[in-house]
Amino acid sequence: QVQLMESGGGSVQAGGSLRLSCTAPGFTSNGCDMHWYRQAAGKQREWVSTISTDGSTSYPDSVKGRFTISKDNAKDTLYLQMNSLKPEDTAIYSCKVHDGRWCWSSYWGQGTQVTVSS
């Protein structure tokens, strides 16, 4: 049974920072990409960042330059450092991981709430 444990969410004022963690035993060094997504109330889920197996990272323009994805293989943990937070960053943030042949299988964390006040 896959168990992903997210933490680090909370409430901050605009301009503040938070670091999200996703503990994912067995997933940080299995050769598959790892991702963060978010979903604001009443909106569709939005991709936030990806870290590939070679360590390269990618972001949408909405968070580029403010968010940083990283992982620690020794701790089996995926991170999302979020700086210069804006009210529009308010959402439930979830990690997504893969495994299996060709990384076809996907698993989601339970999500952690981030609220940014103006």
Side-chain angles (χ1 to χ4, degrees):
Q1 183 176 357
V2 176
Q3 289 187 331
L4 306 177
M5 184 62 67
E6 294 165 348
S7 61
S11 297
V12 296
Q13 290 191 327
S17 298
L18 285 172
R19 188 177 79 157
L20 306 183
S21 299
C22 172
T23 302
F27 290 95
T28 56
S29 55
N30 68 353
C32 301
D33 296 350
M34 303 179 77
H35 321 270
W36 286 99
Y37 284 77
R38 67 186 180 187
Q39 187 166 21
K43 295 187 177 181
Q44 289 187 330
R45 183 178 286 165
E46 175 188 20
W47 167 69
V48 174
S49 61
T50 294
I51 184 164
S52 299
T53 56
D54 63 359
S56 60
T57 59
S58 55
Y59 310 88
D61 289 344
S62 58
V63 307
K64 191 177 295 182
R66 299 188 298 121
F67 290 10
T68 303
I69 188 173
S70 63
K71 63 179 180 175
D72 186 330
N73 292 341
K75 296 182 178 179
D76 288 326
T77 302
L78 175 71
Y79 300 101
L80 184 67
Q81 177 67 44
M82 305 185 295
N83 299 327
S84 302
L85 283 162
K86 304 175 181 180
E88 51 264 43
D89 294 319
T90 295
I92 296 174
Y93 286 71
S94 302
C95 59
K96 180 182 179 182
V97 302
H98 306 275
D99 73 357
R101 188 173 182 177
W102 310 119
C103 302
W104 277 344
S105 298
S106 299
Y107 307 93
W108 291 87
Q110 83 284 358
T112 185
Q113 176 70 48
V114 171
T115 303
V116 184
S117 58
S118 57

